[in-house]
Amino acid sequence: MRSLIAGNWKMHGEMSWAGKADELEKLYPAKNRTHLDILICPPALFIAPMVRSCSKANINLGGQNCHAQENGAHTGEVSAQMLKLAGANFVIVGHSERRAAGETDKMVRDKASAANRAGITPIICVGESLAQRESGKAEAVVSAQIKSSIPEIEDYVVAYEPIWAIGTGKTATAKDIEQMHAPIRKIVGEGVRILYGGSVKPANAKEILSTKNVNGALIGGASLEMESLAAIAKAA
Ligand code: 13P
């Protein structure tokens, strides 16, 4: 399966960051990475200005969230259709930072369906909290999230991001990751890419990306600098 190396810029960036695609292309030219897919998910309003440089560098663009409906009276929201029109072909849904702000499995499932209808691939995020892990419930929590957050669609990606590993510098061990990706694989089957996310850095990328059932990474902090994003992609 082709690896997917996905950068989630979260609420970081400015217009001039469109040039980061050229930077990445210099560090790791598209002709040397035909075996993998690279994706950048900038804040939605930076997608359109990045289309030119990203398509030249063979980098995919994605949103970080979308609304479940195509359009309507939803002030401040962006639909999957709009992301597609702007130039995205992926969208992250159900990131833990959004779940923490009240997003439920049902909302995540509706957003993933909306992405599918719009013709873009949802990256459906799941992950347990530290308290859930310490009480031995991690696998049950993640399996339940998977079952309720994934609609009846074929084209999607799952990202396992343990909440305690996001932005903390604490990475799950290869064993933790393998133990969680195996039951996820059982539920989603062979054709779906399963990414790991949570403090992925150049120093740990090789080990994480060579773990069984890991088909790529969802990277926050380390995706803001092209040196580190390129180094992680080279490890895939
Ligand atoms: P960090 O890589 O900064 O831990 O963020 C992970 C993440 O939340 C990606 O979606």
Side-chain angles (χ1 to χ4, degrees):
M1 205 177 312
R2 286 170 74 79
S3 295
L4 174 62
I5 300 299
N8 173 10
W9 281 2
K10 307 192 179 182
M11 202 171 70
H12 297 283
E14 44 190 270
M15 285 298 173
S16 64
W17 284 27
K20 290 202 181 246
D22 305 320
E23 231 180 280
L24 185 69
E25 174 63 14
K26 276 200 199 100
L27 293 161
Y28 191 14
K31 63 174 172 21
N32 299 338
R33 50 178 156 86
T34 52
H35 57 293
L36 59 90
D37 296 322
I38 295 193
L39 165 67
I40 293 179
C41 301
L45 82 167
F46 297 145
I47 292 173
M50 290 185 68
V51 165
R52 255 172 78 133
S53 54
C54 282
S55 82
K56 256 189 7 211
N58 203 13
I59 296 169
N60 297 278
L61 279 162
Q64 300 175 9
N65 176 42
C66 66
H67 195 271
Q69 286 168 25
E70 230 173 84
N71 45 51
H74 303 291
T75 303
E77 295 286 345
V78 173
S79 71
Q81 195 72 26
M82 291 166 184
L83 293 173
K84 164 105 176 165
L85 288 171
N89 54 357
F90 287 86
V91 60
I92 298 168
V93 293
H95 191 281
S96 62
E97 286 153 15
R98 299 202 58 86
R99 288 181 183 264
E103 211 158 282
T104 62
D105 286 341
K106 158 109 181 43
M107 288 161 77
V108 175
R109 187 171 71 233
D110 290 346
K111 289 174 181 212
S113 292
N116 186 257
R117 284 196 303 277
I120 64 179
T121 305
I123 300 177
I124 301 166
C125 301
V126 294
E128 81 285 358
S129 66
L130 186 58
Q132 288 164 334
R133 173 156 288 266
E134 284 176 344
S135 59
K137 295 193 188 116
E139 190 185 322
V141 166
V142 169
S143 297
Q145 281 180 333
I146 296 262
K147 286 178 186 152
S148 339
S149 308
I150 301 177
E152 289 289 313
I153 56 174
E154 278 178 15
D155 179 28
Y156 63 94
V157 174
V158 170
Y160 167 56
E161 298 203 302
I163 297 169
W164 48 271
I166 296 177
T168 57
K170 278 190 211 156
T171 324
T173 62
K175 196 166 155 233
D176 292 334
I177 299 172
E178 194 172 330
Q179 279 176 351
M180 191 60 82
H181 281 225
I184 297 176
R185 172 67 68 213
K186 268 207 187 120
I187 302 172
V188 302
E190 287 303 319
V192 171
R193 291 190 276 197
I194 309 173
L195 314 183
Y196 168 78
S199 298
V200 177
K201 310 277 178 229
N204 59 25
K206 188 103 210 157
E207 190 186 10
I208 291 171
L209 291 167
S210 53
T211 300
K212 191 157 186 250
N213 286 315
V214 173
N215 310 114
L218 184 54
I219 307 139
S223 73
L224 301 176
E225 296 295 337
M226 293 305 106
E227 284 82 5
S228 45
L229 186 59
I232 293 168
K234 282 179 186 173

